[in-house]
Amino acid sequence: MLDFPNAKINLGLYVTEKRPDGFHNLLSCFYPVKWTDALEILPAPEMRFDMTGLPVPGDPETNLCLKAYYLLQQNHDLPPVHMHLHKVLPMGAGLGGGSADAAFTLRILNKLFELNLTAAELENYARQLGSDCAFFVRNKPVIATEKGDVFEPLTLDLSGYMCVIVYPNIHITTAEAYGSITPKEPTCTMNLLLKQDVKVWKEVLVNDFEAALFPKYPELPQVKEKLYAAGADYASMTGSGAAIYGLFEGGAPDNLVFPGHYLIWKGLL
């Protein structure tokens, strides 16, 4: 069975407090985009996992796809499978690619072996794998709170917008990003912010990590400024970095050019 784990962007990201367990509570809108990895899972005589595409650092045996399989196997009699992950989404970009891979592994295994798990049950498994994994089970726009794993449904349709995502090949670890943050409560509710016209978001919708990371990585504000100069209605860093995206109503200009070592994705939302 073949599926395509997709990225997400954050529309606003507020780090509201540090939790006693060492994590942080946040407030954000998660919105799915169509930039994807590819994941195939087939029954096999013995367990096998391999990858192509972008290199993934670390031991392949600790990959979140395998962790998802073994987590599900604790409660279900799963036979061996052959998993092949073709990695397209960059790591350390704030796009949730690894979390998507894990959640889609759960989804594929549920269908492939007819486990009949509900979306809520799959979300409970996904929460054990990563803070934003559960989002990719339903894969619809939400307001995310707590660790990014508690969701409020959201009616937000950006289907008329072109999204351009620019990743300048800067890997920002979660520890580095959060180590630079001073938590604070936003001055306005996320629902109220998102109800304003997209053209107004530039003035009101903030990613808290920008203030901490832009001075350290000047390429990031340069990308954001270039997207605005090209006519973006809204531009922001996503997640804890380092990808920057711009939203263009009706399409992005063809002459929007970045250095050759940057990864660029453009598509309709």
Side-chain angles (χ1 to χ4, degrees), residues 39-185:
L39 176 63
E40 185 175 40
I41 303 179
L42 300 171
E46 58 184 23
M47 195 66 193
R48 181 180 167 192
F49 175 75
D50 46 48
M51 286 184 289
T52 53
L54 293 177
V56 178
D59 184 353
E61 293 301 312
T62 65
N63 188 277
L64 281 170
C65 294
L66 279 175
K67 288 185 176 181
Y69 172 88
Y70 290 121
L71 177 65
L72 207 55
Q73 193 185 47
Q74 292 176 11
N75 302 110
H76 302 275
D77 186 21
L78 297 181
V81 297
H82 177 195
M83 293 190 202
H84 181 85
L85 174 64
H86 182 69
K87 195 68 186 161
V88 176
L89 300 173
M91 284 65 69
L95 295 166
S99 297
D101 296 337
F104 272 67
T105 299
L106 296 173
R107 288 170 46 166
I108 292 172
L109 293 171
N110 187 42
K111 291 179 182 177
L112 187 61
F113 298 115
E114 299 179 347
L115 303 180
N116 298 316
L117 296 170
T118 65
E121 289 172 321
L122 288 172
E123 286 176 342
N124 286 333
Y125 280 109
R127 287 185 179 97
Q128 300 175 59
L129 297 166
S131 293
D132 58 358
C133 280
F135 164 73
F136 294 99
V137 171
R138 301 180 201 252
N139 222 3
K140 296 179 180 179
V142 296
I143 292 176
T145 58
E146 298 195 17
K147 294 189 296 181
D149 61 353
V150 175
F151 309 124
E152 176 187 335
L154 179 67
T155 303
L156 179 64
D157 183 7
L158 297 175
S159 56
Y161 284 85
M162 175 76 72
C163 182
V164 177
I165 302 175
V166 183
Y167 176 63
N169 268 308
I170 298 171
H171 185 105
I172 297 176
T173 66
T174 302
E176 177 187 5
Y178 278 92
S180 307
I181 284 287
T182 301
K184 61 183 182 297
E185 289 287 341

Side-chain angles (χ1 to χ4, degrees), residues 187-226:
T187 57
C188 191
T189 67
M190 183 64 71
N191 266 315
L192 187 59
L193 291 173
L194 293 170
K195 284 179 180 177
Q196 300 187 56
D197 189 273
V198 174
K199 292 179 175 61
V200 180
W201 288 358
K202 180 179 180 179
E203 309 299 331
V204 299
L205 200 56
V206 175
N207 182 329
D208 282 345
F209 289 101
E210 290 187 359
L213 296 174
F214 276 14
K216 296 174 66 175
Y217 301 99
E219 301 96 323
L220 301 181
Q222 289 169 10
V223 170
K224 183 176 178 179
E225 290 166 11
K226 192 166 186 177

